[in-house]
Amino acid sequence: MAIGQLEGHRKLSAKIAAILQEVRSSNATHRRKLKEILALRLSSPAEFCGAFCQALVPLFNFQRRNSSSQRTIKFVSTFACSSGEKGDSADEFLENFLSFLLLAATAANKTARFRACQIVSEIIMRLPDDMEVSSELWDEVIECMKIRAGDKIPTVRTFAIRSLARFANDSENRDILELFLEKLPLEQNGDVRKILVLSLPPSSETFSMIIDCTLDVNESARKAAYCVLASKFSLQSLSIKLRATILQRGLAERSAAVAKECFRMMKDEWLEKCCNGNPIALLKFLDVETYESVGETVVSTLLKAGLVKLQDGQTLREFIAPGGDSAEEGGNCSHSIELMDAEVAVFWRVVCRHLNIEAHKKGSDAAMTMGTESTVYAEEASHNNDLLDRILPASVSDYVELVNDHIVAGPNYRFVSRQLLLLGMMLDFSDVSNRKVASVFLQDLLHKALDHELDESGNEVIIGDGFNLGGEKNWAAAVAELCKKVHAAAGEFEEVVLNVVEELAQPCRERTADWKQWLHCLAVVGLLLENTTSFRHMQGYAIDPTEILHSLLLPGAKHSNLDVQRASVRCLGLFGLLERKPSEDLGKQLRCSFVKGPSTVSIMAAKALLDLAIWHGPDEMDKAMNCNLSSDIHDDDISFTLLEFGDAREDSNFELLDLLCVGLEHDWDDLEEVEDHQSIQDVLGEGLAKILLLSNKFPGSHTSKHHLILAKLIRLYFSSDNEEFQRLKQCLSVFFEHYPSLSINHKKCLSKAFMPVMRSLWPGISGNAAGSTMMVSNMRKIAFQASRFMLQMIQAPLLAKDSTITEENKSENPGVETCPSLDLKSEEEGLAVRIAVEVASFNAKKTAAEKSYVAALCKILVLLQFRVSEQGVIKLMRRILSRASAAVAAEKDLTKELMHMAERLKAIDRNPVEQLSSEQATQILEKLELTFNLEKDDSMEAAPTPAPQSIQPRPTRRRARAHQDSSSDDEASPTSVVPNTPVIGTRSQRASKTAAMTKMAAKTTVKIDEYDDAGSEGDEDEALAEVTTEDDSEASV
């Protein structure tokens, strides 16, 4: 009977396997084969599940994810969720099959776990609501999939999370949502993050996480985020800021697939469903007055996709209706102007710009082609021009009247007025009458005083930034662009603006103007200086550039009103950029404003000084000030603290870079306001970084102190006291990424800055304050991180351009030893010598801070590599390394690493016996600007003594350690090296015994260092961060 059952079970399993084999080939057979397998289950309900699982076992050993296996899994999951005729045990089979899959999901084989989770996820996704499965089994499934969500195999995690996605919406399964929110930020695999995003239900908790995923590094995860936003979140449920953020990121995506998904969301879900295809209605959801660039991008994208359909009569002329009154002076008719909304103004400006660009493009294509193609392009250009003409106002007079009415309407329509000003760029001003009307309009704009209001104390306050025309940079730019469009002839723009400046400057020169008139005049001057290219275009008109400098800008910088000072300093910076050589008066005033001015003025002066230093060069700026270019600040130990800000004495003796570095380290406690969300440290840090990045363009005396500036920037980047300067740190991170790869000189500067950075960051060294044990530990960690960071920068490869130049120099001078002489300062060998000299310069008796400092330097030293061509440096390093190893003899691991380094150096030394002469060693040290005494015996091996071998037994380790503890520091110091004793004919027994004991003591000391664990500090981080006793921290202060 049992044999018959086994035979029947085997035949049933074979039939099921045959069906599974056939469904692998095509999806077309699935419906027919589904009926066959349902019939088999109905005929043998008791034995079917076991036979089915047995037939499915080969799939759990098949690792590849090809189309045939995917079709099989699809069929299996569909069958598991299907119910046949009455009497079919579908629910019972499903429970048994899920139990089998849960058992496979816990298997040791990763393929079995993967297939089990995959089939479970497919079953859960396809399972109809009317299928009855016990709650206990679902709990088992959920718990098993939660465990598999932490599997080490990404594909297993993917399908486990997919299995849980259907349960995440249930409030009873709160733990699943918490699991998703916990896994998403920590997940390393992009595909798993994609499934996590797709599995998140719509809620306030998940929304911020989904928004963050739009910046994911993985393209599929970003695309999934936009897909979830489109399907699970309505436009009305999002805030205005989030709508703008989503579109700003998505439409500017570097990936075409992600940008397409964002565009599909905007078009299908937002534009069609929520706005009925009306682009202006979509703009109203985005607050274009705050997010103007996003509104422009949306309209431009819709125009390029052909989704903007202009209806008949939908033009700007509908806002200009003929009025009842007639005949003003000049024969022009007055009109009734309808004020437009901000969204309408942005829409028409972008549409007109698009039509104008397309018309010019098609016209150029028509001119570059011939025949029928040229005719087609010409017709398209003509069509765009005709459409643009129908949209724009009928005449320039109508346009001016439209803009004027919006300006008069008040500040609420200021944004619309600016959009209309920009719209004037599409008008034709070739006619003299049109230019005359537009010129009068522009004169009114330039003469319009800055708006002001009364504060709570009754004082007058300027509305806006205080130094741009109209109080807004964008407004001033729009007026300037329109003015240059109307007055397009050479020098005509400068002439018109200078005439206005001359009128406004009259009361300022007579000292009868109030601070509001000063600001108005300086705003027009700033507009002129920003939009002209040379002083040549300003010569011979109403007011001369020199007169502007001496009668307006310099007196304004000394005005009692701080806003006037700030505006004047800004104009001084713009004025200096137009000069061929910076003037002395301008430079003195900027330096004075930087040092002695209030914080808001100092920021503006710092920007101006940095711009002029980058434009003209630091040397030219100092020459203009008649500064002594041989500055005293060249030593690594000298700090830029020689100038007190706000001091009444002159600062003209300071070079510009010295002055800026003083400002970088100055404590700006009174700085409450920032310009463009930048503190003065941000401005100075970014400016000095730009100067270092462009240092090859500024050859001169200042290059000798670039390493000190670089050291200060590195210190600022790693300093824990400046964590609030996140913007500056982000800028410096980009700077450090590119700086070492651009030039060999940059690497030389970096190598030279290494030791000043370490001395300035390490607590208890060079007068640095320390503090508590925890503070000292953190400071040491930061300093060591900085050292590893600088090592990575030195090891970064040069860009191809600089490398090619170096190779060309070598080929042009084959007889000259260019590689050692030119590359030593920039390569790892130079840094190794600097570190070794620093370590060897410490005395035998060291404080706790000095010991940790020397150990940290040696940890960097052993990471450096040497080239075989640098034989002189290798020999020099072998001589210095003995003293460096003696300085850390108490560190067992470091001593071994230094011994290995000495062995490596000896192996690449082509002639190990030959010694480096003192002249050669001095020459190498002078190239690195180092001084070191090499006269001591610094061999890595102890010289043998001619004394006879002692017959006394060798002391044990215990006795040797006791001997070390009882001896003095001087006697047990690892820096003591047995001197070379000259060979003599005879000597007394006492002398021989003394020499032998000395040699034994030296060897014993080495053994003590090897086996003494008390001095070692474990791994690398603990060795640098751990402070054993409070005495160490006190000694490091």
Side-chain angles (χ1 to χ4, degrees):
M1 186 69 180
I3 297 176
Q5 290 179 350
L6 290 175
E7 183 65 20
H9 181 81
R10 186 184 61 81
K11 290 182 179 179
L12 180 60
S13 179
K15 291 180 181 179
I16 296 173
I19 292 175
L20 295 178
Q21 183 67 25
E22 292 182 15
V23 299
R24 294 178 57 192
S25 58
S26 174
N27 291 323
T29 61
H30 284 196
R31 181 174 297 182
R32 178 168 51 87
K33 295 300 176 182
L34 181 61
K35 294 179 180 179
E36 294 181 11
I37 199 169
L38 285 173
L40 287 176
R41 186 174 68 183
L42 185 61
S43 62
S44 304
E47 301 176 357
F48 182 83
C49 185
F52 183 81
C53 294
Q54 181 180 355
L56 203 61
V57 166
L59 181 63
F60 288 82
N61 296 322
F62 188 73
Q63 188 173 3
R64 295 177 57 189
R65 297 179 62 184
N66 54 16
S67 57
S68 61
S69 63
Q70 295 300 110
R71 284 191 286 267
T72 303
I73 290 173
K74 178 182 177 182
F75 177 80
V76 169
S77 59
T78 304
F79 166 67
C81 299
S82 301
S83 59
E85 301 176 358
K86 292 184 179 180
D88 187 9
S89 57
D91 296 342
E92 181 183 357
F93 167 76
L94 179 60
E95 291 187 1
N96 294 332
F97 186 50
L98 285 176
S99 300
F100 167 75
L101 293 176
L102 293 182
L103 182 64
T106 60
N109 187 284
K110 63 180 181 180
T111 306
R113 300 198 306 272
F114 156 57
R115 292 300 182 188
C117 292
Q118 185 181 15
I119 296 175
V120 169
S121 67
E122 290 292 336
I123 291 175
I124 292 176
M125 290 299 168
R126 297 173 183 272
L127 191 67
D129 296 334
D130 57 351
M131 291 288 288
E132 296 183 1
V133 182
S134 64
S135 301
E136 293 79 6
L137 181 59
W138 279 133
D139 292 340
E140 292 180 11
V141 171
I142 291 174
E143 291 300 323
C144 181
M145 292 299 103
K146 286 169 64 177
I147 295 174
R148 289 305 100 207
D151 198 281
K152 63 181 180 180
I153 306 300
T155 52
V156 178
R157 298 199 301 270
T158 299
F159 288 106
I161 292 169
R162 187 167 179 261
S163 303
L164 296 171
R166 188 168 179 176
F167 304 100
N169 290 316
D170 194 350
S171 59
E172 297 179 357
N173 297 316
R174 172 74 184 178
D175 53 343
I176 296 178
L177 178 59
E178 294 177 352
L179 177 66
F180 287 173
L181 296 177
E182 178 186 355
K183 292 289 184 183
L184 183 55
L186 303 176
E187 179 57 53
Q188 300 294 321
N189 187 272
D191 293 332
V192 181
R193 292 198 301 273
K194 170 188 172 182
I195 294 297
L196 278 169
V197 173
L198 293 174
S199 304
L200 290 176
S203 67
S204 58
E205 293 177 286
T206 61
F207 181 68
S208 60
M209 197 76 72
I210 296 172
I211 291 293
D212 292 339
C213 287
T214 58
L215 297 177
D216 197 283
V217 295
N218 185 270
E219 177 182 328
S220 60
R222 298 197 304 274
K223 184 178 178 181
Y226 288 105
C227 180
V228 171
L229 290 172
S231 59
K232 298 182 180 181
F233 295 90
S234 63
L235 177 62
Q236 291 82 358
S237 65
L238 306 177
S239 66
I240 294 176
K241 181 178 180 181
L242 291 177
R243 297 169 196 161
T245 301
I246 292 170
L247 292 178
Q248 184 178 23
R249 294 175 181 176
L251 297 179
E253 255 287 344
R254 62 182 180 273
S255 170
V258 180
K260 184 178 180 181
E261 183 67 29
C262 178
F263 176 75
R264 186 192 66 79
M265 175 198 69
M266 180 183 69
K267 179 176 73 72
D268 297 341
E269 303 296 329
W270 292 9
L271 181 63
E272 299 296 338
K273 291 184 179 180
C274 300
C275 303
N276 296 323
N278 186 358
I280 297 178
L282 178 59
L283 292 180
K284 291 183 179 180
F285 282 100
L286 300 178
D287 186 12
V288 292
E289 294 192 46
T290 305
Y291 304 100
E292 181 182 355
S293 60
V294 177
E296 292 180 14
T297 304
V298 169
V299 179
S300 298
T301 305
L302 295 176
L303 284 168
K304 292 177 182 178
L307 297 176
V308 177
K309 304 299 181 182
L310 298 178
Q311 301 177 0
D312 294 338
Q314 190 181 11
T315 67
L316 284 172
R317 299 182 184 183
E318 62 181 300
F319 298 95
I320 308 173
D325 300 331
S326 63
E328 291 186 358
E329 184 179 356
N332 293 328
C333 296
S334 62
H335 297 85
S336 175
I337 302 298
E338 178 185 352
L339 299 180
M340 66 179 67
D341 295 332
E343 296 79 16
V344 177
V346 171
F347 173 79
W348 285 118
R349 180 176 67 83
V350 178
V351 168
C352 291
R353 185 185 63 183
H354 175 78
L355 293 174
N356 189 34
I357 293 174
E358 287 296 316
H360 282 288
K361 181 180 177 181
K362 297 301 181 181
S364 299
D365 293 341
M368 298 296 294
T369 55
M370 298 176 64
T372 306
E373 185 179 6
S374 177
T375 303
V376 172
Y377 285 141
E379 290 180 357
E380 292 180 358
S382 178
H383 172 74
N384 288 327
N385 282 323
D386 293 341
L387 186 57
L388 182 62
D389 290 339
R390 290 199 302 268
I391 293 174
L392 292 173
S395 65
V396 174
S397 299
D398 293 346
Y399 165 75
V400 170
E401 189 175 354
L402 178 66
V403 179
N404 268 328
D405 280 18
H406 282 85
I407 293 176
V408 173
N412 292 336
Y413 288 89
R414 187 62 173 275
F415 179 83
V416 178
S417 301
R418 180 166 61 83
Q419 302 300 315
L420 295 175
L421 285 177
L422 295 172
L423 198 64
M425 299 296 297
M426 271 67 76
L427 295 174
D428 182 16
F429 297 100
S430 59
D431 186 74
V432 176
S433 60
N434 288 342
R435 282 203 308 273
K436 184 177 180 181
V437 173
S439 179
V440 173
F441 169 63
L442 288 171
Q443 290 284 335
D444 295 338
L445 289 179
L446 293 174
H447 281 90
K448 182 177 174 57
L450 299 178
D451 296 331
H452 63 278
E453 60 184 1
L454 298 179
D455 60 7
E456 297 176 355
S457 303
N459 300 319
E460 292 182 333
V461 180
I462 287 293
I463 299 177
D465 54 24
F467 49 79
N468 276 303
L469 185 66
E472 183 185 354
K473 183 178 181 180
N474 292 333
W475 178 269
V479 173
E481 291 298 323
L482 182 59
C483 191
K484 288 191 289 185
K485 173 73 174 180
V486 175
H487 305 286
E492 187 178 353
F493 165 74
E494 288 80 6
E495 180 182 3
V496 170
V497 180
L498 282 173
N499 289 333
V500 178
V501 170
E502 200 276 334
E503 295 178 20
L504 298 176
Q506 189 64 31
C508 298
R509 286 183 291 188
E510 296 174 356
R511 302 299 181 261
T512 59
D514 60 6
W515 61 276
K516 293 179 291 184
Q517 292 174 302
W518 269 98
L519 287 178
H520 184 198
C521 180
L522 291 172
V524 179
V525 172
L527 181 142
L528 173 63
L529 296 177
E530 278 187 311
N531 292 277
T532 189
T533 56
S534 174
F535 283 148
R536 287 188 299 105
H537 304 306
M538 299 172 58
Q539 300 292 340
Y541 295 126
I543 186 170
D544 192 76
T546 306
E547 189 177 357
I548 292 177
L549 175 64
H550 291 283
S551 63
L552 286 178
L553 304 187
L554 293 177
K558 302 172 185 177
H559 198 275
S560 59
N561 186 274
L562 297 184
D563 290 332
V564 175
Q565 290 184 33
R566 193 162 60 108
S568 299
V569 170
R570 171 180 175 267
C571 290
L572 285 173
L574 297 173
F575 191 93
L577 294 175
L578 294 173
E579 291 182 312
R580 290 187 176 181
K581 290 186 178 181
S583 59
E584 181 178 358
D585 294 336
L586 184 145
K588 282 184 177 181
Q589 183 57 56
L590 288 178
R591 292 160 70 103
C592 181
S593 299
F594 175 62
V595 174
K596 303 174 185 177
S599 56
T600 55
V601 178
S602 295
I603 291 181
M604 197 63 70
K607 291 182 177 180
L609 288 171
L610 287 167
D611 289 342
L612 295 180
I614 295 173
W615 184 256
H616 295 290
D619 280 338
E620 289 295 328
M621 291 295 296
D622 290 334
K623 288 178 182 178
M625 293 291 299
N626 297 321
C627 287
N628 182 14
L629 295 182
S630 58
S631 174
D632 295 332
I633 305 179
H634 290 291
D635 198 327
D636 294 351
D637 297 329
I638 296 180
S639 177
F640 294 111
T641 57
L642 305 178
L643 176 66
E644 292 293 334
F645 274 68
D647 194 0
R649 70 184 183 88
E650 291 292 333
D651 60 279
S652 58
N653 291 330
F654 277 83
E655 294 182 0
L656 179 58
L657 292 185
D658 299 343
L659 187 66
L660 296 175
C661 287
V662 174
L664 184 63
E665 294 191 340
H666 179 63
D667 187 11
W668 301 89
D669 290 335
D670 59 337
L671 184 59
E672 298 180 356
E673 301 181 15
V674 293
E675 293 288 341
D676 299 330
H677 306 288
Q678 281 185 301
S679 66
I680 192 167
Q681 282 89 352
D682 293 342
V683 173
L684 292 172
E686 293 181 22
L688 290 172
K690 291 177 182 178
I691 291 176
L692 292 181
L693 206 61
L694 302 172
S695 58
N696 290 338
K697 299 185 180 297
F698 310 131
S701 61
H702 290 285
T703 56
S704 61
K705 65 182 71 174
H706 280 184
H707 70 286
L708 296 180
I709 301 175
L710 179 62
K712 291 183 181 297
L713 293 180
I714 297 175
R715 179 183 178 183
L716 186 65
Y717 183 70
F718 282 94
S719 176
S720 59
D721 298 334
N722 296 282
E723 292 181 356
E724 64 273 15
F725 301 131
Q726 294 302 322
R727 188 181 188 280
L728 175 60
K729 288 190 174 184
Q730 183 179 7
C731 170
L732 291 179
S733 65
V734 178
F735 164 72
F736 291 137
E737 181 181 355
H738 295 86
Y739 177 76
S741 301
L742 292 179
S743 172
I744 293 179
N745 293 330
H746 293 176
K747 288 202 171 188
K748 293 178 182 178
C749 181
L750 185 60
S751 177
K752 195 174 180 181
F754 186 92
M755 297 316 307
V757 171
M758 292 299 293
R759 295 192 197 107
S760 63
L761 289 178
W762 202 270
I765 297 296
S766 300
N768 297 334
S772 63
T773 300
M774 183 64 67
M775 184 180 297
V776 169
S777 175
N778 292 333
M779 293 173 69
R780 290 179 181 178
K781 286 182 178 180
I782 291 173
F784 189 70
Q785 289 175 2
S787 66
R788 295 295 298 265
F789 183 73
M790 289 186 287
L791 176 61
Q792 292 176 1
M793 286 197 289
I794 290 178
Q795 293 175 340
L798 286 171
L799 294 179
K801 180 179 179 181
D802 205 72
S803 303
T804 305
I805 294 174
T806 305
E807 295 296 332
E808 290 177 356
N809 292 337
K810 294 178 183 178
S811 61
E812 292 176 1
N813 302 283
V816 181
E817 194 178 13
T818 56
C819 184
S821 60
L822 292 178
D823 296 345
L824 178 60
K825 294 182 181 180
S826 61
E827 295 296 334
E828 297 181 49
E829 296 89 353
L831 179 60
V833 174
R834 294 181 190 276
I835 296 177
V837 168
E838 178 77 6
V839 172
S841 63
F842 281 87
N843 298 325
K845 293 184 178 180
K846 295 183 286 293
T847 64
E850 292 174 344
K851 290 179 182 178
S852 60
Y853 174 68
V854 169
L857 290 179
C858 288
K859 289 180 182 294
I860 298 297
L861 180 61
V862 297
L863 299 176
L864 297 170
Q865 302 295 327
F866 285 76
R867 294 168 295 174
V868 182
S869 59
E870 300 290 341
Q871 290 296 308
V873 183
I874 292 173
K875 293 182 181 296
L876 175 63
M877 193 64 193
R878 292 184 62 196
R879 294 185 62 180
I880 305 177
L881 200 58
S882 61
R883 301 189 198 176
S885 60
V888 291
E891 300 285 343
K892 178 181 64 176
D893 295 335
L894 270 182
T895 303
K896 289 182 179 180
E897 292 182 9
L898 289 174
M899 291 176 62
H900 291 323
M901 183 178 183
E903 293 174 359
R904 293 197 306 268
L905 292 176
K906 186 176 180 180
I908 61 177
D909 193 348
R910 294 171 181 170
N911 193 355
V913 181
E914 182 181 355
Q915 296 290 330
L916 187 70
S917 65
S918 300
E919 292 78 8
Q920 292 174 326
T922 304
Q923 184 180 5
I924 295 175
L925 292 174
E926 287 178 352
K927 289 178 182 178
L928 298 174
E929 301 179 16
L930 299 174
T931 56
F932 187 69
N933 186 11
L934 291 170
E935 297 302 323
K936 297 180 181 179
D937 184 6
D938 42 29
S939 175
M940 282 296 294
E941 301 174 357
T945 177
Q949 183 73 25
S950 173
I951 60 174
Q952 292 185 1
R954 185 174 181 177
T956 62
R957 295 173 184 170
R958 185 184 305 272
R959 289 179 56 195
R961 184 170 298 169
H963 172 72
Q964 183 190 29
D965 294 339
S966 62
S967 61
S968 64
D969 292 340
D970 292 335
E971 294 172 348
S973 174
T975 58
S976 59
V977 181
V978 180
N980 291 327
T981 307
V983 180
I984 55 176
T986 59
R987 58 180 175 177
S988 63
Q989 183 180 1
R990 182 69 179 174
S992 300
K993 182 177 180 181
T994 302
M997 291 299 294
T998 303
K999 181 178 180 181
M1000 289 175 59
K1003 292 184 178 180
T1004 304
T1005 302
V1006 176
K1007 288 294 181 181
I1008 292 171
D1009 292 337
E1010 278 190 20
Y1011 292 94
D1012 187 8
D1013 293 331
S1016 63
E1017 299 180 69
D1019 63 342
E1020 188 174 271
D1021 293 336
E1022 293 177 356
L1024 295 170
E1026 196 175 44
V1027 181
T1028 56
T1029 63
E1030 294 182 1
D1031 295 335
D1032 291 343
S1033 63
E1034 293 174 0
S1036 63
V1037 178

